[in-house]
Amino acid sequence: MNPVLKRVLTGLTIGAAVICTVLFAPMSVIAPLVAVLALLAIVEFALLLKMKCPRPTGWTGLGFLFGAALIGGGLFVLPMIARLYGDAPCGGLRLGNVMLLYVLAVIKFSDVGGFAFGLTSAKLMKGGNHKMCPTISPNKSWEGMFGSVLFSSIVALAFTGVTHFAWWQSLVCGFAGAVVGTAGDLVESKFKRWVGVKDSSTMKITNGMGGFLDMFDSLLFAPAVLMVLFELFK
């Protein structure tokens, strides 16, 4: 199967499962689920770190603690957002669940937009597209960044009936989700370049989506930034 098609189909399947889980999971279940995901991501981070530094030292120990805190802290903002809005009704669902889906959709559709625009522009533009930081992430381009912001902004505007944000506030959330999500992606890409791997495939559990840690890099910082914006826009 074509690698791009495989990645798209895998992403759609995982996305459908995530949407169902996020929308209907009880509040008491969300935090344990996130804890399991965070633990798996931290284990993969540790395995990659061991590949680079087979013999543990004090510095690698500190590096592990820093990385684990970054991953765990980033992901644990998600149940905090769900609890922030709680069990208030929202079209037959709980508002906390819907707002959690909003955050994930804004961030992950940034990935979709970046991938789509980056891939298309690389093929259509003479000489290829304009690389953002080729030494860290060779496939990241400014055209892809535009696609990320566009898709995130569209999603943010689509949720205005739930968030009750003004149009410009929704655009701010979309822009922030895309830019900060990309920053998280670049941080993980820098780590992978240092380790010397293309993807975090030591614990690959998805088909065509790289490694497990690759699925969560855009969630390192963006959920916290969005939660701060939610508080400012109340």
Side-chain angles (χ1 to χ4, degrees), residues 55-217:
R55 295 184 178 181
T57 66
W59 287 111
T60 55
L62 286 175
F64 169 74
L65 291 176
F66 176 78
L70 187 64
I71 295 167
L75 291 181
F76 264 95
V77 174
L78 298 175
M80 290 174 61
I81 291 172
R83 288 196 300 269
L84 179 66
Y85 289 91
D87 294 323
C90 179
L93 299 168
R94 289 178 292 268
L95 182 58
N97 294 73
V98 177
M99 289 301 293
L100 179 56
L101 178 63
Y102 169 72
V103 170
L104 293 174
V106 165
I107 297 170
K108 299 312 290 184
F109 268 88
S110 165
D111 293 344
V112 174
F115 177 73
F117 273 66
L119 183 66
T120 303
S121 61
K123 291 183 176 181
L124 295 181
M125 296 181 66
K126 186 176 180 180
N129 51 21
H130 300 83
K131 301 303 180 184
M132 183 183 298
C133 40
T135 58
I136 298 176
S137 184
N139 293 325
K140 284 282 186 296
S141 66
W142 290 108
E143 290 80 4
M145 187 73 250
F146 173 80
S148 293
V149 172
L150 177 63
F151 275 45
S152 290
S153 299
I154 291 173
V155 171
L157 288 170
F159 274 81
T160 52
V162 174
T163 63
H164 302 295
F165 293 157
W167 66 267
W168 66 269
Q169 293 172 327
S170 293
L171 290 180
V172 168
C173 288
F175 180 83
V179 172
V180 183
T182 300
D185 191 327
L186 291 174
V187 167
E188 197 235 0
S189 293
K190 180 65 175 179
F191 173 67
K192 289 188 297 183
R193 297 292 87 76
W194 177 69
V195 173
V197 297
K198 185 177 183 296
D199 57 49
S200 56
S201 57
T202 56
M203 285 179 56
K204 187 181 291 185
I205 63 172
T206 58
N207 186 18
M209 295 287 287
F212 190 82
L213 189 58
D214 292 317
M215 298 176 64
F216 298 101
D217 50 14

